[in-house]
Amino acid sequence: MDESPAENNFRTYIDEHELALSDQIITLLWRDHPEYDRIFDETGKGKCAQDIRYHLKYLADAVDAESPALFLRYLEWVKSLFASLNIPRDTFSETLKAMKEVLKKQSSIALNYLDEGLKAYPELPDRHDSFISPENPLSGVAGNYIQALLKRDREGAMKIIMQEMEAGRDIREMYEYVFQVSQREVGRLWQTGNVSVAQEHYCTGATQLIMSRLYPYVFNHEKNGLTFIGTSVGDELHELGIRMVSDFFELDGWDTIFLGANTPAKDILRCIMDEQAKVIGISVTITFHLHKAREIIDSIAENPELRGVRILVGGYPFNEDRELWHRIGAHGYGTDARDAIRTARRLVGI
């Protein structure tokens, strides 16, 4: 296959043509499968087109990150979601085939990823077990906590946490075995259609509030003289993970600055310089936001005043592809908050 102009910047091509491409894919699907008129009404057809745009974005960023594993994990997520919605099992496979046809002149790498996806798709699981497992030492607490949140009983959830803290529980355990696990479980319940987006957002907001009430347990440790900055890319709503990581750094004696999401790259760089931070942690939850993390990393690398700053990354894409942190230009990554601390200490030599 001859290399096209889009081959070298496939993500840009998708960004510029996603609407036209999704229309072409929909047209192809309905041409080859007239029975879809019985399965999907006009609203359903519109949702299919929107889903296809998501498929294209995830494919483009997997190609950009040189990571077929990320695209396979996305396919697994979609298969589980579609199963929960009772969408016919072969619908997504047919969509991948139509994507191949429409993109055949654009990127040989993307076609390879689609081929791998089609081959693997039948064996991918369409159900996932609860994140509240018996191996979790606080599984009972986590289960009660999430049930309170799902009932919108924020005060009840707070009471569960405070009872544990007053009994002498290590706050790190609360973060790791209750907050982190409950957020993952709520995500799984949304994916399987058992909770709404509104419920998911309520659970996240309630956990953020409860964490803020625990700060007297966080901000009372001896300092080591080092500063850590935590941020998440672009407009991501899932900033709770990097907030937990920042709190772990605080507990480890670092001065921490939590920037959250939506902080422009130039302001992040200014903050690093003003605070003389040794490590910046960048969190990515959604695969098609990887390029935003790369932009921040490139900006830091290009600034001669920041040559000594170590860049730590984390989040879903990096846990799925354990070499991605290196390809994106970071100095290291953490699988979770505890691992992030170990990695940061190694990077700064303490």
Side-chain angles (χ1 to χ4, degrees):
M1 177 183 295
D2 293 335
E3 188 175 274
S4 72
E7 184 76 62
N8 290 325
N9 203 339
F10 184 61
R11 186 176 59 77
T12 299
Y13 174 79
I14 294 298
D15 287 345
E16 293 175 350
H17 299 89
E18 62 176 80
L19 287 173
L21 291 169
S22 65
D23 286 345
Q24 292 177 48
I25 293 166
I26 283 288
T27 298
L28 195 58
L29 280 169
W30 259 250
R31 185 199 71 188
D32 294 343
H33 298 279
E35 71 274 13
Y36 284 0
D37 275 329
R38 298 193 307 273
I39 299 173
F40 303 100
D41 58 18
E42 280 304 309
T43 299
K45 190 174 183 179
K47 289 181 178 179
C48 285
Q50 184 180 56
D51 286 342
I52 288 168
R53 292 193 286 276
Y54 280 119
H55 306 336
L56 290 167
K57 283 180 177 292
Y58 274 94
L59 174 61
D61 267 307
V63 170
D64 191 51
E66 303 174 43
S67 180
L70 288 181
F71 190 58
L72 288 177
R73 294 290 73 76
Y74 172 70
L75 300 190
E76 183 178 324
W77 179 86
V78 172
K79 186 174 184 179
S80 179
L81 176 62
F82 281 14
S84 72
L85 298 174
N86 295 316
I87 295 175
R89 194 177 284 260
D90 63 348
T91 303
F92 190 47
S93 295
E94 294 304 309
T95 300
L96 294 178
K97 292 175 185 177
M99 288 171 64
K100 270 190 65 179
E101 177 64 24
V102 169
L103 296 172
K104 64 183 179 182
K105 295 182 179 180
Q106 302 306 330
S107 169
S108 59
I109 299 172
L111 295 189
N112 288 337
Y113 283 24
L114 287 166
D115 280 334
E116 290 185 36
L118 281 164
K119 187 182 299 183
Y121 187 72
E123 303 304 320
L124 294 176
D126 59 8
R127 293 287 187 273
H128 293 88
D129 295 332
S130 171
F131 284 100
I132 306 177
S133 67
E135 290 76 23
N136 181 344
L138 294 181
S139 60
V141 177
N144 292 335
Y145 177 76
I146 197 170
Q147 286 304 312
L149 290 182
L150 292 176
K151 293 175 183 176
R152 292 187 172 86
D153 181 9
R154 188 171 56 201
E155 289 305 312
M158 169 68 81
K159 184 177 180 180
I160 290 168
I161 299 302
M162 294 311 300
Q163 285 176 341
E164 291 295 317
M165 296 304 300
E166 290 165 3
R169 182 72 65 185
D170 186 337
I171 191 171
R172 295 173 183 84
E173 293 182 321
M174 300 304 296
Y175 275 45
E176 187 172 8
Y177 300 124
V178 180
F179 296 149
Q180 178 175 280
V181 167
S182 67
Q183 284 302 115
R184 290 176 176 173
E185 179 64 5
V186 169
R188 185 189 72 85
L189 291 173
W190 170 81
Q191 182 181 354
T192 54
N194 290 296
V195 301
S196 66
V197 172
Q199 286 175 294
E200 182 191 22
H201 287 183
Y202 175 86
C203 292
T204 299
T207 295
Q208 288 177 317
L209 177 62
I210 292 170
M211 284 171 58
S212 69
R213 299 274 290 273
L214 296 180
Y215 275 0
Y217 295 93
V218 176
F219 294 97
N220 62 354
H221 292 72
E222 185 178 347
K223 297 300 182 182
N224 61 19
L226 300 174
T227 299
F228 170 84
I229 293 175
T231 189
S232 53
V233 296
D235 57 354
E236 286 205 4
L237 298 175
H238 301 86
E239 62 179 32
L240 191 58
I242 187 62
R243 182 173 176 182
M244 290 184 188
V245 170
S246 296
D247 287 354
F248 264 67
F249 272 86
E250 190 74 35
L251 288 162
D252 194 53
W254 299 61
D255 285 311
T256 62
I257 299 168
F258 175 65
L259 298 180
N262 279 318
T263 304
K266 63 181 179 63
D267 294 318
I268 293 174
L269 268 61
R270 173 51 57 189
C271 185
I272 296 172
M273 288 186 280
D274 289 347
E275 302 298 332
Q276 298 183 327
K278 291 294 184 181
V279 176
I280 177 169
I282 303 172
S283 173
V284 182
T285 303
I286 302 173
T287 300
F288 61 71
H289 285 167
L290 275 170
H291 67 282
K292 297 181 180 180
R294 194 193 298 269
E295 289 168 3
I296 296 172
I297 291 170
D298 289 345
S299 296
I300 294 171
E302 291 165 3
N303 191 315
E305 297 182 58
L306 301 177
R307 284 178 182 160
V309 176
R310 303 294 88 182
I311 303 168
L312 186 66
V313 293
Y316 171 80
F318 301 102
N319 287 337
E320 294 300 327
D321 183 340
R322 298 300 177 93
E323 296 300 318
L324 179 58
W325 66 270
H326 181 71
R327 294 198 302 275
I328 206 171
H331 298 108
Y333 97 107
T335 57
D336 53 30
R338 291 183 189 270
D339 190 45
I341 295 288
R342 288 191 293 267
T343 303
R345 283 175 159 267
R346 175 177 56 79
L347 289 175
V348 300
I350 62 171

